Amino acid sequence: MKTSRTLRGLALAATVAAGIGALPAAAQESDDFSFARRLAYRGWFDLADDICKRIERDHTLPREVRSALPILLAEIELAKADREQDAGRSLEHITRSIARLDRFIADEPSHPRSFEAKINIGYLKSRKAKSLVDQLDSAKTPDQHDRLRKEASALYDEVTAGFEDSVTVWKRLPASDEVGGAIMDARLEADRARYEHARIPGLPDEERKKLLADAIKNLVDFEIDYGDTAKAFEAMLLEGKCLMETGEVAQAEVKLKNTLSLDGILRKEKIPRNEYFDSIIYGTYLTLTQLYLKTNRPKDARVFIETTFANDPAAVRAWIGMALKVELVDAYFRLKDARAKQLAEDIIKADPDGPFGRRMKERIAHLGSRGHVRIDQEQAIRVAEGSMDKGRLRDAMAMLRQAIEGQATEESRAKNVPKALFLMGQCLQDMKRNYEAAIVFEKVVALYPKHELGVKACWEAIVCFSNEFDTFEDPLDERDKDRLMETLLRTWPGAKEADNIPYLQGLKLENAKKHREAAEKYLAVPERAPAYERSLVRGAYCLRVDAFRTHADYVRKGKKDPAELQAMIDQLNRAEGLFRKFLDRIAKNPAENAEQARDRVSLVGVTDQELAYLYNHVLIGKAEKALEFLDKVASEMSADDDRLARINLLQIQSQLVLNRNDDAVKTLELMFHRFENVKETAQACKSVAIRLDEITADYFKKNGNVLDDYARENLKKISKYYAKWVQGAMRFSMNASVNDVMSVGESLYVNAKRLNSLPETVQSFMDMKKGMLVGWKNYFEEAEFVHSLLVGPTFRGKYAEKDRLILMARRARCLSFIADSAEGWGAAKNAYEEIVKDFGIKDAQGQFSRQTIQDRPLLLGPYLEVGAVYFELGRWTRIHYDNAISVFTDVASVSAPGSEPWWIARYMTFLSHFRRGGPKDIMTAQIGIKMIEDNYPDFDAGKYGLKEKFIELKKEIERTGAANR
């Protein structure tokens, strides 16, 4: 068999596959070239640069060898990029490497290595794009996130176009090994770029699908063209990855297993494996394992990895060995195999600071938080604190339970359990589960009264019981609060916690919605009291809430009193001053202990949010300042901090106040990337979708409903954001009003039609004319999801009956617009039959009710569509033609002769008979059409577009009859 060309890349993987060898010019490289390259990849860049200078001065070398020096310099730049920890500086080296290769091609266009240089430029640009994508997770601002994503996408487009342009040019050149090999490389790398491009987070679904579909089509052609080369196996691996991305799991598995046949061919042909062959085989090992785990087949993954290690001992010693062990840990955990933890610890020990070790540490912490693996109790507490610092309270709770349950000795219990219980109580408090928190805090008081956290736990339990009593007015909660207050004063006489009494009084008033009085009580807490900082923030919060509510009443009553307005402004300014006082205090006074530090983190989060609300309010009008403040807060938080979602939501609110709508979209896209399934993202989606809806409606009014690129992109975003808001509203119980959800459903339905270029005249799939296609089904799927909620038990009975028909009809039409299989048409049938049942179009015995249609003429359209759906299903199950004929007969019987429904029903009746094709069906259709023609010689005269259809059906029946004679 023929084997592949060199795996081009400026990285160490640029090894020569057996058979063809390197390019002619490369074969003439001096030893200095090779030596400089080795030095560079060992990090000895100064020495490598010195050798490059010597090569430049060595005029004894052939010109074509010496002129290839820029390629070597480009490799050195890449080696620097490989060793650079800072992502920005690494990109600079890659950019310089590209520039050197561009200069080489410009100076030496006919050089034998120009093919290699062009391929490597594409490789480097792809690598640069991938580096930009990798930085998305750590982007500090929405602008940076948006810029990185757009730059990466543009680079991948450039790479793909560049490779395909090169192929077009090179195909015109005289045939040679160099030209043929370059074409082969460029074709494959163009589709690799498509694959990588499709994996950019946040890429529109239709764009992603098109990239993958194009790549798969091209790779199939590539495998046909180069089936006798190793390069074809590389293409198979890439195609398998593309198929996995599109969800074609079975096809992907077959393709990947076919790729592994490369190893058997090499053995049969007695060709030794080299780095190139290993890169294909090892890549397939990893991808196939990930496919098994992605499809929840851990047993298959385990068996495959263990078999691979047994059959390919070299793999165990290579990088793939560690990579497969990482996947094996995952498989073991899912199978509850006891070997999981030990293997994970072995990986950490073997690669403590490397990517595999880091991944295992994160995995153990994640699984430990879910009780799947036991870890050291003190480590569990530290992991829990880290989770709390990032707002991951449920993960923290799981780790704390593990820490409490895992104490082996009384000494360790006394050391670790009080802290674990106290932290658990704080988690429950933050989750608004006050009664449970009080019980946990009280355990610390009862079991460890002498621990330093005992008095703090007692106070927190008092606060929790106080909140419970104010909420539910259960005398038992009040009694428990008083009991614990007595315990605090008796057990810890003189404790500073006793100074917190005004805090409790403020809490009671706040829970009673007496915010102004509550603020004064909070602000009476003395500075020495442990609750002083909390009181500052809560006092300021109460002043802000009271001023907002007062202003809302003022506006509603239509008042015009400047003095009242000024009083509200003064109160808000006072609230701002108190928030600022708290921030200044913590900046000047370090936390006295870990508990205070953690409490401050929570209070700072509240303060940030409150200041944003305050600045955005119309009375203050400092949205610009709010945004500046929030940007600073966001820049100081780590990108994986879950609390950043709240900051992003506040940023969007400020951006919308300032009409910075593009910025709001960028921020929301950042949230989709990092926090797609959290409440804050759903809330932000609603605000941004409403604004875009307003903007786009105005745009259509000004431009006559023209769907240009600007409007199309807006509609896509509106559909995406509205759908996410409704999903979030249901998931997080956000009290979505029925009117809001109905409005969203209508917008999604109208947008789905517009985005699929269906005119307003198209009411259902029956109105679609030749050439009309539903290319983007996802928009109808989103509309159908919302309408299924509206007609379901959640919202049923909350709107008028006439609206119910509209909602049910829209839902059924969404399903019929996207139906293209028996399953799809079956779903549409079920939705339409619900209309028939709900509105009594047929009675309990299945008999058609003429009176129902006559009383409610609007039911005629959906009922006609029921028949059309049966007609479509007849292609798979012929009995549905019977159902269709029955419906069309009903419609014709209740419609005025010559009306549009009558004409459609008559035509569809004859067409159904013809398609059913029984012994009497064709005759029935023929006679029926003749009777119609006798009464209406010109049929509908084209009024409803059916004349030509009748004529064509008539001819088709005649041709069939002639054929049967």
Side-chain angles (χ1 to χ4, degrees), residues 335-492:
L335 294 167
K336 295 181 171 53
D337 191 314
R339 293 173 287 179
K341 185 184 175 188
Q342 185 58 55
L343 180 56
E345 290 175 350
D346 291 344
I347 292 170
I348 293 172
K349 185 177 179 181
D351 188 39
D353 300 316
F356 300 118
R358 285 196 300 272
R359 182 174 167 187
M360 278 299 93
K361 290 174 186 176
E362 293 171 1
R363 182 69 175 148
I364 286 180
H366 175 75
L367 290 166
S369 71
R370 281 154 177 72
H372 298 155
V373 63
R374 315 301 295 182
I375 63 177
D376 173 78
Q377 288 74 31
E378 290 188 27
Q379 184 183 354
I381 291 174
R382 288 194 295 272
V383 170
E385 288 178 307
S387 295
M388 290 173 70
D389 289 342
K390 292 179 179 178
R392 297 168 187 166
L393 301 177
R394 296 188 184 279
D395 287 351
M397 287 280 290
M399 294 304 296
L400 291 168
R401 288 193 193 97
Q402 188 176 137
I404 292 167
E405 295 165 1
Q407 303 300 324
T409 65
E410 284 302 317
E411 182 182 1
S412 67
R413 287 185 64 81
K415 179 181 178 183
N416 296 316
V417 171
K419 185 172 184 179
L421 284 170
F422 187 83
L423 293 173
M424 187 178 287
Q426 288 186 317
C427 288
L428 289 165
Q429 261 184 316
D430 289 343
M431 294 162 74
K432 309 300 181 188
R433 292 158 60 179
N434 284 301
Y435 184 77
E436 295 169 77
I439 299 301
V440 173
F441 283 130
E442 197 170 356
K443 281 185 181 180
V444 181
V445 177
L447 300 174
Y448 306 98
K450 295 183 180 180
H451 193 279
E452 62 179 349
L453 291 173
V455 64
K456 293 183 176 67
C458 187
W459 163 250
E460 296 298 344
I462 291 168
V463 172
C464 290
F465 278 126
S466 179
N467 274 321
E468 283 293 286
F469 176 73
D470 293 340
T471 303
F472 300 107
E473 297 183 350
D474 187 337
L476 292 176
D477 293 328
E478 180 80 344
R479 189 191 67 185
D480 285 330
K481 183 197 76 173
D482 293 341
R483 174 178 55 80
L484 284 168
M485 183 62 74
E486 290 175 10
T487 300
L488 189 153
L489 296 173
R490 182 180 66 252
T491 308
W492 296 280

Side-chain angles (χ1 to χ4, degrees), residues 481-521:
K481 183 197 76 173
D482 293 341
R483 174 178 55 80
L484 284 168
M485 183 62 74
E486 290 175 10
T487 300
L488 189 153
L489 296 173
R490 182 180 66 252
T491 308
W492 296 280
K496 292 186 290 185
E497 277 70 15
D499 293 337
N500 290 339
I501 301 300
Y503 180 87
L504 285 179
Q505 296 168 331
L507 199 60
K508 188 176 187 68
L509 289 164
E510 181 187 339
N511 287 331
K513 307 299 182 186
K514 298 178 180 179
H515 291 97
R516 192 177 303 181
E517 296 93 324
E520 299 310 325
K521 284 295 182 183

Side-chain angles (χ1 to χ4, degrees), residues 322-338:
M322 192 70 79
L324 289 177
K325 285 177 182 177
V326 167
E327 304 299 333
L328 186 57
V329 168
D330 195 353
Y332 281 160
F333 274 127
R334 296 194 201 185
L335 294 167
K336 295 181 171 53
D337 191 314

